[in-house]
Amino acid sequence: MAEVATRETALKEAEAVCTRRGAVLTPLRRQVLELVLRAEAPVGAYALLDQLKAMRPGAAPPTVYRALDFLLEQGLIHKVERLNAYIGCNESGHGHSHDHHHPHQFLICRTCGATMEIADPAVTHAIEAAARRVGFVLAEATVEIEGTCARCAEA
Amino acid sequence: MAEVATRETALKEAEAVCTRRGAVLTPLRRQVLELVLRAEAPVGAYALLDQLKAMRPGAAPPTVYRALDFLLEQGLIHKVERLNAYIGCNESGHGHSHDHHHPHQFLICRTCGATMEIADPAVTHAIEAAARRVGFVLAEATVEIEGTCARCAEA
DNA sequence: GACCGGGTCGGAACATTATATCATCAGGTC
DNA sequence: GACCTGATGATATAATGTTCCGACCCGGTC
Ligand SMILES: [Zn+2]
Ligand SMILES: [Zn+2]
Ligand SMILES: [Zn+2]
Ligand SMILES: [Zn+2]
């Protein structure tokens, strides 16, 4: 599978990103990141916990949430608010080398659940302009577009 | 207070919108809508429930959620996903006369909690274009911009 | 009047998502 | 060794949201 190689690369990069910043990608955090990357769609915290328990019998909600918080902080994953679920950051395509929090948008398919991350400059720019127009100092924007993905639409 | 008049007007309009569609704004639904409109910031379902209990001792979670579902369906309120909270639709400013689901964006102040609804055509258009570019059929877009509102920023 | 249907609400239980708190342990510093 | 910091173990609890069943009302329809 090509995905396995991609995942391995992503994990290696994550390791590098963390050490470059003085953060530590501990075995636990790495395990959680791998589970998120392995999933085909955004995963919920308790789904991760169930999988984690197989490897770490003592795992509990805080175990997962602490790891997720770290990974979010490092920009290695994102949270999809509409789904209360987490997804690996896809930094390829847009050239952000794992900025802590880079502008991004999600396209969520209601049929198959596939969620694609994009970073459309026009969307980002329009949002910045809208905020500026009313004197609002933008910190972070959540953009989650729901509908039907191309594959599901043509069927 | 000017807000009271605004709220009364909004309630009257809500009533009219519902009857025009064959839906019924029952006393319960109207009460919940009034509580949402009365709040200064987005309100959580359980905060509404607490207030509702004062008037309706038997109120339980489904009581509130059913009313909220109805109001969302009618486009009278919106849900703010980042806050798991609900806010009245501000249809003034943009000329949607309570479309069931109209494109909109939120500006959420992290300092004071104030949340402003806007409907910026450039943002809406950029999102539509981004979706179309990848063959995605858009149904609904959540745009929630967090930061500091103008009042809090100047202080 | 009897019957049926949809829509609304009361009420109990449950499911899902997230956090608070305290204890423990390992590594580095003085 | 005494001390601090960051990470994890472990238990409990909070916050948010849903399922399910039964009652009730109200408008047809026979
Ligand atoms: Zn990303
Ligand atoms: Zn799809
Ligand atoms: Zn609105
Ligand atoms: Zn503010």
Side-chain angles (χ1 to χ4, degrees):
Chain A
M1 308 259 277
E3 292 97 17
V4 176
T6 310
R7 202 155 54 229
E8 286 305 321
T9 308
L11 284 167
K12 282 214 182 354
E13 273 189 34
E15 197 98 49
V17 166
C18 286
T19 46
R20 197 183 314 145
R21 286 183 193 142
V24 190
L25 188 65
T26 61
L28 171 60
R29 290 162 176 174
R30 193 192 155 97
Q31 249 172 5
V32 173
L33 177 55
E34 186 164 2
L35 290 174
V36 173
L37 295 176
R38 200 181 284 278
E40 309 242 323
V43 232
Y46 280 76
L48 292 169
L49 178 55
D50 286 344
Q51 297 179 252
L52 198 59
K53 273 183 188 159
M55 300 177 280
R56 263 168 208 265
T63 312
V64 166
Y65 279 103
R66 283 191 291 233
L68 289 174
D69 284 347
F70 173 85
L71 297 170
L72 287 168
E73 187 61 36
Q74 299 301 320
L76 298 171
I77 66 173
H78 300 297
K79 178 171 183 181
V80 185
E81 298 286 341
R82 304 233 14 163
L83 307 177
N84 293 318
Y86 304 85
I87 188 173
C89 172
N90 174 20
E91 100 277 43
S92 47
H94 35 98
H96 298 276
S97 49
H98 279 307
D99 285 347
H100 272 216
H101 297 112
H102 67 93
H104 63 279
Q105 300 92 37
F106 286 122
L107 298 164
I108 307 166
C109 178
R110 281 176 176 168
T111 302
C112 70
T115 297
M116 170 189 285
E117 178 180 350
I118 62 175
D120 188 301
V123 172
T124 303
H125 183 266
I127 286 173
E128 284 168 354
R132 201 165 29 238
R133 190 169 309 130
V134 294
F136 190 93
V137 181
L138 186 152
E140 196 178 1
T142 300
V143 181
E144 301 181 357
I145 305 167
E146 279 186 294
T148 312
C149 78
R151 279 206 334 155
C152 291
E154 78 183 8
Chain B
M1 308 258 280
E3 291 98 16
V4 174
T6 310
R7 201 154 57 228
E8 286 306 320
T9 309
L11 284 167
K12 285 214 177 0
E13 272 189 34
E15 197 99 48
V17 166
C18 286
T19 46
R20 197 183 314 145
R21 287 182 191 142
V24 190
L25 189 65
T26 62
L28 171 59
R29 291 163 176 173
R30 191 192 154 96
Q31 248 171 8
V32 172
L33 176 56
E34 186 163 2
L35 289 175
V36 172
L37 294 176
R38 200 182 285 277
E40 309 242 321
V43 230
Y46 280 74
L48 291 169
L49 178 54
D50 285 344
Q51 297 179 253
L52 198 59
K53 273 182 187 159
M55 299 175 282
R56 264 169 207 265
T63 312
V64 166
Y65 280 104
R66 281 190 294 235
L68 289 173
D69 285 347
F70 173 86
L71 297 170
L72 287 167
E73 188 60 36
Q74 298 302 320
L76 297 171
I77 65 173
H78 300 297
K79 177 170 185 182
V80 185
E81 298 286 341
R82 306 247 353 180
L83 306 177
N84 293 320
Y86 305 83
I87 188 173
C89 172
N90 174 18
E91 100 276 45
S92 48
H94 34 99
H96 298 276
S97 49
H98 279 306
D99 286 346
H100 274 214
H101 298 111
H102 67 94
H104 63 279
Q105 300 92 37
F106 286 122
L107 298 163
I108 307 166
C109 179
R110 281 177 176 166
T111 302
C112 69
T115 296
M116 171 189 286
E117 177 180 350
I118 62 174
D120 187 300
V123 171
T124 302
H125 183 267
I127 286 172
E128 284 168 355
R132 201 163 34 237
R133 190 170 307 133
V134 295
F136 190 94
V137 181
L138 185 152
E140 196 178 0
T142 301
V143 181
E144 299 179 356
I145 305 168
E146 279 185 294
T148 312
C149 78
R151 277 206 334 154
C152 290
E154 78 184 9

